[in-house]
Every structure is written in structure tokens, then in C-alpha cells.
Amino acid sequence: MNILMIEDNHSVCEMMAMFFKKNQWQYEFAYDGVAGEEKFADEPDNWDIILLDLNLPKKDGMQVAADIRRISPTVPLIMLTARDTESDQVLGLEIGADDYVTKPFSPITLVARIKALYRRSQLSQQHQQGHADVGGFDIQTDHFKMNTKTREVYLYDQPVSDLTPKEFDLLKTLAAKPRQVFTRSQLLQLVWDYEYYGDERTVDAHIKKLRQKLEDIGPQVIKTVWGVGYKFDDEGE
């Protein structure tokens, strides 16, 4: 694994370097937003995981995250934030972060999050390579079809584009079992591959962003089941 950590606190970087070495991961550090964005832009395909602090000198982490997502909609991105407020965390997820970790954090916890996100990313790539035939759609409902290998998605015969990796996985999970209700905890386990210890705002933030992209095309197919969770249902639309 090759990790880019954009973090201005040198002590935090030195601490994480020990854990990266222990796991035999390659890594580089950038200590401000401009340097981090330039390092990523120079070789966007070189990185397996981006760790991004929000409070950065020269360029705010939120803007760096948005710029990274414009360059690559698929690179796994974990935000590191001392802003322990719901609005900041939700905004970060809406911009395209796959996960966030609140400071101060345990290095062991961060390493576990990195491994889980990387594992999920690799499984998704393997699934795309082996599950669907090019040109065919392996998930189809009344008004929806998805090719998980080519990542083509159509709703009401119109293409759905610019989905982040987590939005794609979330939509795939829901659409693969139409009209089945998933709780937020189930979606956390299925899509993120680990527990969020009761913090279910991650699911809500991604659902909100996904709905915004889908409602530009036609009637909403991701339905809220109040008090339970969410389901995909395009029957009768």
C-alpha cells in the first residue's frame, strides 16, 4: 500500500510513520494543503489511500478534498479532523471523503480504518473485474441497470455519472435487493466493511448526496423507511 498523508502536525506524522513501517507500507507526507494537492496531482495513480487533515496551512483541507475528487473520483480518502461537529463531518463526506477520523485519534484505530477501506476498495475492483461481462448489466430492475465491471449506471434510460466509489457501492448494495429495507447499521457493515460504533450520520450523508444526483434524472428511487432505514424501489415509478 502507498499512502499520502497531508498533515501539518509533524509529531502526528512521525507517530504514524512508525505504524506505517510496522505494516510495511510505503508513505509520503505533505505538511500543507498546496504541497499535498501538488504531490497528489503529479502522480494521482500512485496512491492507494489519502489521509487528509482539515486544518491545513496555505489551503483548507475541504478545498483540497474537493480538488482531489475532481482529479480522481475513486481514490480512497480518509479525513482527519479536530472539528468534532456534525456539519463539518457531513460536509466532508458530501465532498467525497470515504471516512473520517476525529482527533485526537488512536493510531491503532486509524490503521484499522485504513486496512478496512483498502480491503473494501480491492474487493470492489475484483468484483468489477470478475462479475460482469463487458456490455452486460448484472443488476437490473424496472427502470435501473448497472454493470459493476464497467461501472455503467442507467436510471430511466439515462446515464448516472460522477458517482464516488462509496456512492456507487451504496447504490449497488440497495439496488441488488430491490424493496428490501436496510438499516443504517447494515449499510455500514456492507458498504464500509466495519462498524462506526453507532455513528450513522455517514450513511445519511452519502444517501443525501446520492439522492441529489439521482433526482436530477427522474423520480426518486431511494426511499426512506421511517424508523428503520432505506430501500431501493423503482416499481411503479
Side-chain angles (χ1 to χ4, degrees):
M1 196 187 311
N2 199 11
I3 298 173
L4 173 60
M5 186 169 188
I6 308 174
E7 165 64 65
D8 65 320
N9 189 316
H10 289 248
S11 296
V12 171
C13 293
E14 291 171 2
M15 174 182 65
M16 291 310 305
M18 294 187 293
F19 286 85
F20 296 158
K21 290 177 182 177
K22 182 178 180 180
N23 284 277
Q24 298 183 324
W25 296 338
Q26 302 297 313
Y27 59 92
E28 290 188 33
F29 297 113
Y31 301 106
D32 63 69
V34 172
E37 187 174 315
E38 289 176 349
K39 191 178 288 288
F40 176 77
D42 286 344
E43 296 182 286
D45 296 329
N46 187 47
W47 309 105
D48 296 308
I49 295 280
I50 307 298
L51 305 178
L52 174 63
D53 184 30
L54 287 189
N55 295 314
L56 291 169
K58 296 187 179 181
K59 195 167 190 177
D60 183 74
M62 289 287 190
Q63 184 59 56
V64 174
D67 292 341
I68 285 176
R69 273 290 168 252
R70 278 192 284 271
I71 298 170
S72 172
T74 59
V75 63
L77 173 62
I78 298 177
M79 281 188 168
L80 311 174
T81 174
R83 306 174 188 175
D84 190 17
T85 65
E86 181 175 357
S87 59
D88 284 321
Q89 293 164 356
V90 170
L91 178 58
L93 293 169
E94 289 185 347
I95 287 174
D98 296 291
D99 191 6
Y100 66 85
V101 175
T102 302
K103 293 181 175 180
F105 57 80
S106 160
I108 295 174
T109 297
L110 180 56
V111 167
R113 297 283 184 95
I114 292 170
K115 289 180 177 178
L117 181 55
Y118 182 71
R119 180 170 64 248
R120 189 71 186 180
S121 174
Q122 293 299 299
L123 288 174
S124 178
Q125 291 180 24
Q126 293 170 13
H127 181 77
Q128 294 163 29
Q129 293 169 0
H131 191 65
D133 295 327
V134 174
F137 295 95
D138 47 312
I139 297 177
Q140 296 190 65
T141 64
D142 291 349
H143 303 287
F144 176 88
K145 53 187 178 182
M146 171 184 283
N147 184 314
T148 55
K149 181 176 182 179
T150 63
R151 302 184 76 83
E152 293 176 279
V153 180
Y154 290 87
L155 181 63
Y156 305 115
D157 294 321
Q158 297 185 54
V160 181
S161 57
D162 299 325
L163 294 177
T164 68
K166 278 295 175 285
E167 290 167 356
F168 183 91
D169 290 344
L170 184 57
L171 182 57
K172 177 178 68 176
T173 300
L174 292 167
K177 296 184 178 180
R179 295 178 292 281
Q180 176 175 323
V181 180
F182 291 86
T183 66
R184 291 172 177 82
S185 295
Q186 287 174 324
L187 291 172
L188 285 172
Q189 294 173 15
L190 292 169
V191 177
W192 280 263
D193 199 33
Y194 54 87
E195 296 281 1
Y196 265 67
Y197 306 105
D199 188 351
E200 298 174 343
R201 292 172 296 183
T202 293
V203 174
D204 294 335
H206 280 80
I207 288 286
K208 178 183 177 182
K209 195 69 174 180
L210 180 56
R211 278 175 165 167
Q212 290 173 349
K213 295 179 179 180
L214 298 179
E215 67 188 11
D216 290 338
I217 296 174
Q220 188 56 250
V221 294
I222 297 180
K223 309 294 179 66
T224 299
V225 181
W226 296 106
V228 183
Y230 300 99
K231 68 176 180 179
F232 180 98
D233 188 358
D234 63 345
E235 188 179 50
E237 294 291 359

